Amino acid sequence: MTSDIDAAAERILGAYASGVPCGPVRDLIATADDAYAVQERMTERWLGEGRRLSGRKIGLTSRAVQEQMRVDSPDFGMLYADMAVPDGDEIPAGAVLQPRVEAEVALVLEHDLTHERHTVADLIRATAFALPAIEIVGSRIRDWDITLADTVADNASSGMYALGNRPVRLEDVDLRLCGMVVERRGEQLSSGTGAACLGHPLNAALWLADTLARVGRPLRAGDTVLTGALGPVVPAAPGDVFEARIDGLGDVRVAFGRADQDREES
């Protein structure tokens, strides 16, 4: 099994290196535990190469998506400092394979969360502030042909992320009822509320804190937590410009570069 886990990790890492999506890895791994073992192999590789963890992301927070994937809980992936892009910045063409965007609530921590089981009070006390976020998800798996094992192994289909610049304390916003819209050059493409994220974004973050403490990678002060999509994901194409607005948190924007522009600049 160890050789299969290594082979799955190398297949995904090869897609990162080549910029060409690979086939699914579910022919090599069968369970969620195996998939997280693949993710951990890649995490160890990247940390050894000097990448710095900046937080975690939560996926599969929509009940409808859980039913589609035949799972009863979310999943998680690692965030690295080199995945963060400034609000309004342009993402170079090809930086994320098969990109899609989704709007989320981001939490930034000021205290560690290391208990095996946390309370909501623990989480609130540990959170410095919330921000609006756009996560640019991507898949190294060709045509997004994924099962749970494929997406977990592929670092929960992570890509890049952008955060807003106005921190808001939790007592100043209702994260359950906050409305969200994603627009592309003024055209509304996605909408939702905080309740779409496991009933409340703090519910998702609480699940994450408990899960990470059990697997030995607890959340630490300074970490950013992307708590999960508040509405449907939106495909992204070169030249697109997206803005996400979340009531009480503000807005955040990202743009996608064109391949022809990149060639002209080079």
Side-chain angles (χ1 to χ4, degrees):
M1 181 56 68
T2 299
S3 61
D4 287 340
I5 289 169
D6 289 337
E10 290 302 323
R11 185 179 296 176
I12 296 170
L13 288 168
Y16 272 103
S18 67
V20 178
C22 63
V25 295
R26 55 184 177 268
D27 60 321
L28 297 169
I29 54 176
T31 68
D33 287 343
D34 293 341
Y36 279 116
V38 174
Q39 185 185 125
E40 180 65 16
R41 288 284 199 284
M42 299 196 304
T43 299
E44 293 171 352
R45 171 82 66 88
W46 285 327
L47 292 177
E49 292 173 351
R51 297 183 79 183
R52 178 175 68 85
L53 281 175
S54 59
R56 311 289 190 278
K57 61 154 288 182
I58 310 171
L60 303 179
T61 53
S62 161
R63 299 297 188 191
V65 175
Q66 286 184 10
E67 291 176 4
Q68 178 185 0
M69 300 289 284
R70 298 181 181 178
V71 298
D72 58 5
S73 69
D75 68 353
F76 68 84
M78 305 294 164
L79 298 179
Y80 297 89
D82 57 12
M83 293 166 58
V85 296
D87 182 12
D89 209 2
E90 183 175 276
I91 297 167
V96 178
L97 292 181
Q98 306 177 110
R100 302 175 178 181
V101 302
E102 53 191 35
E104 309 189 15
V105 171
L107 304 178
V108 179
L109 303 182
E110 62 180 341
H111 300 296
D112 298 348
L113 287 167
T114 58
H115 301 302
E116 183 175 347
R117 185 172 180 81
H118 298 85
T119 67
V120 172
D122 293 329
L123 178 60
I124 292 172
R125 189 181 306 114
T127 300
F129 51 84
L131 294 168
I134 291 178
E135 183 184 1
I136 302 94
V137 295
S139 183
R140 274 49 61 180
I141 308 302
R142 188 181 306 115
D143 299 325
W144 280 90
D145 178 15
I146 58 173
T147 62
L148 177 66
D150 296 305
T151 186
V152 168
D154 188 20
N155 198 29
S157 301
S158 63
M160 304 180 84
Y161 67 98
L163 302 176
N165 294 316
R166 187 176 65 88
V168 177
R169 298 190 64 84
L170 292 184
E171 61 261 34
D172 296 328
V173 62
D174 186 338
L175 293 182
R176 184 176 71 85
L177 296 180
C178 63
M180 175 280 297
V181 295
V182 174
E183 296 180 345
R184 180 181 58 203
R185 300 188 184 278
E187 175 190 6
Q188 183 174 312
L189 300 177
S190 179
S191 64
T193 68
C197 182
L198 289 185
H200 196 297
L202 292 185
N203 294 343
L206 194 64
W207 171 86
L208 180 71
D210 289 352
T211 301
L212 289 174
R214 287 195 296 270
V215 302
R217 286 198 180 275
L219 291 168
R220 299 292 187 183
D223 279 347
T224 295
V225 176
L226 299 183
T227 57
L230 304 187
V233 67
V234 178
D240 282 346
V241 179
F242 294 97
E243 177 180 0
R245 294 192 303 275
I246 301 177
D247 292 343
L249 293 182
D251 54 46
V252 58
R253 300 170 183 80
V254 293
F256 287 81
R258 297 180 183 275
D260 54 350
Q261 289 178 343
D262 293 343
R263 284 194 296 268
E264 290 173 4
E265 293 174 359
S266 62

